[in-house]
């Protein structure tokens, strides 16, 4: 949330337990942070006083020294208990990026172009410093991927979302397709996965890696015929107004790591049969 003209704020609907709060602004005004143990039904207060944080000053230029405006810089640092400090800042007309609330330890940097999608042009570790650091980005490495997606009968599959996942940055992008199911996208070099996301279910269509300047033609990508999954849930009803519910996750193996993708959820009124693409899924069932 943001403070009002008098600096006041209010956060509601927080989960009880240990929570970390952070206050700051996108300038040199300073930052503050605190960890509070929130109790159910009890209102807590935190009156923060901002103090100067560690600043980071970057300037992005291309191989000729020209500034790169509107490029996206992603900074992150793992914190405690599976939390992350993350900042996503766009460079100004001079290619400059200023962040005033950096942690003291190493930061992990990724640089993406104006589209903000795909793999990273530059990845490295750095430490916040008052001195400006110039980052030279090779902007001539773009690659290209294209292909055509059809269903199991050979017809263009246009009514579902085809999503591009950048494996290095975990960024996603929905690909536009023509009436024949064809698609094309310019991308930074890196590893990617193409995933079809349906109303219920998901299917990994392809996985590929792009080198600098590569033109990759995936050709005709034909989807398999769908299978079915029956959820037998009569035993989960308990006579109340509420209904049993389910959550469905598609499971993919990406480089030895299991990736979960939300593939649908909803209430269940009696047994339900889901039409799904072949593959591995995890199902969570909830009683009423």
């Amino acid at each position: 949330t943001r403070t009002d003209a008098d600096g006041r704020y209010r956060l509601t609907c927080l989960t009880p337990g240990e929570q970390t709060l952070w206050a700051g602004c996108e300038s040199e005004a300073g930052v503050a942070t605190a960890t509070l143990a929130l109790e159910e039904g009890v209102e807590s207060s935190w009156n923060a006083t901002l103090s100067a944080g560690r600043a980071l000053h970057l300037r992005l230029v291309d191989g000729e020294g020209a500034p790169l405006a509107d490029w996206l810089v992603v900074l992150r640092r793992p914190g405690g208990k599976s939390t992350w400090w993350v900042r996503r800042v766009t460079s100004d007309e001079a290619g400059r990026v200023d962040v005033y609330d950096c942690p003291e330890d190493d930061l992990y940097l990724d640089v993406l172009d104006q589209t903000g999608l795909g793999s990273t042009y530059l990845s490295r570790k750095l430490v916040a410093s008052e001195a400006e650091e110039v980052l030279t980005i090779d902007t001539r490495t773009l690659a290209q991927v294209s292909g055509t997606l059809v269903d199991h009968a050979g017809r263009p599959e246009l009514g579902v979302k085809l999503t591009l996942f950048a494996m290095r940055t975990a960024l996603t992008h929905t690909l536009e397709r023509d009436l024949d199911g064809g698609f094309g996208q310019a991308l930074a070099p890196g590893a990617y996965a193409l995933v079809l996301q349906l109303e219920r279910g998901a299917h990994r269509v392809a996985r590929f890696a792009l080198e600098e300047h590569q033109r990759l033609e995936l050709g005709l990508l034909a989807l398999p015929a769908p299978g079915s999954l029956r959820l037998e849930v009569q035993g989960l009803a308990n006579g109340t107004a509420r209904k049993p519910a389910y959550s469905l996750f598609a499971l993919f193996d990406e480089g030895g790591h299991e990736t979960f993708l939300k593939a649908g959820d909803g209430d269940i009124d009696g047994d339900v049969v889901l039409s799904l693409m072949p593959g591995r899924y995890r199902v969570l069932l909830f009683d009423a």
Side-chain angles (χ1 to χ4, degrees):
T1 189
R2 291 188 177 273
T3 56
D4 64 13
D6 296 318
R8 298 173 300 184
Y9 71 95
R10 183 178 182 83
L11 293 169
T12 60
C13 300
L14 301 178
T15 303
E18 189 175 277
Q19 300 281 6
T20 298
L21 288 84
W22 175 92
C25 55
E26 299 171 356
S27 69
E28 299 180 68
V31 296
T33 186
T35 299
L36 304 180
L38 305 182
E39 300 180 26
E40 185 173 357
V42 177
E43 183 168 314
S44 301
S45 63
W46 178 47
N47 299 317
T49 300
L50 302 183
S51 59
R54 291 178 63 88
L56 176 69
H57 305 287
L58 303 174
R59 186 160 60 90
L60 308 182
V61 298
D62 63 16
E64 305 298 325
L68 296 174
D70 297 323
W71 278 54
L72 179 63
V73 168
V74 182
L75 296 164
R76 60 196 184 282
R77 172 70 190 174
K81 296 186 177 180
S82 299
T83 62
W84 284 77
W85 175 91
V86 179
R87 297 293 178 268
R88 297 168 61 87
V89 186
T90 302
S91 59
D92 62 16
E93 293 183 356
R96 287 189 169 90
V97 170
D98 298 301
V99 182
Y100 293 96
D101 64 327
C102 298
E104 295 183 2
D105 300 319
D106 290 341
L107 305 176
Y108 297 92
L109 165 81
D110 281 302
V111 179
L112 298 100
D113 61 23
Q114 298 95 326
T115 66
L117 65 91
S119 192
T120 177
Y121 281 79
L122 177 65
S123 180
R124 54 169 289 191
K125 289 197 302 185
L126 48 77
V127 177
S129 171
E130 289 295 336
E132 182 179 82
E133 183 171 358
V134 178
L135 301 179
T136 302
I137 311 297
D138 186 355
T139 60
R140 300 168 296 176
T141 60
L142 273 182
Q144 180 83 25
V145 64
S146 57
T148 301
L149 182 68
V150 297
D151 65 14
H152 64 281
R155 298 167 298 199
E157 184 63 89
L158 300 177
V160 293
K161 184 166 69 171
L162 184 62
T163 302
L164 180 78
F165 284 80
M167 305 310 299
R168 172 65 179 81
T169 60
L171 295 173
T172 64
H173 176 67
T174 300
L175 292 175
E176 300 292 335
R177 284 163 285 160
D178 60 29
L179 295 178
D180 295 322
F183 60 88
Q185 181 68 51
L187 295 167
Y192 296 88
L194 276 178
V195 175
L196 192 71
Q197 293 182 271
L198 306 106
E199 181 180 359
R200 288 173 173 171
H203 179 70
R204 186 177 62 198
V205 178
R207 182 170 59 183
F208 57 90
L210 293 173
E211 303 292 338
E212 294 182 5
H213 312 297
Q214 183 179 2
R215 297 293 183 264
L216 177 62
E217 173 55 57
L218 296 176
L220 189 67
L221 302 172
L223 299 175
S228 61
L229 173 67
R230 179 186 297 274
L231 303 180
E232 299 176 350
V233 296
Q234 295 97 330
L236 298 180
N238 60 12
T240 67
R242 295 184 61 187
K243 298 178 181 179
Y246 75 94
S247 289
L248 182 71
F249 297 85
L251 305 183
F252 306 117
D253 181 20
E254 298 292 353
H257 301 282
E258 194 170 58
T259 298
F260 295 77
L261 178 65
K262 190 68 172 289
D265 55 22
D267 294 336
I268 305 174
D269 190 3
D271 289 352
V272 62
V273 177
L274 305 178
S275 178
L276 300 174
M277 289 291 176
R280 297 175 57 239
Y281 294 87
R282 174 163 295 169
V283 185
L284 303 180
L285 295 178
F286 306 93
D287 64 21

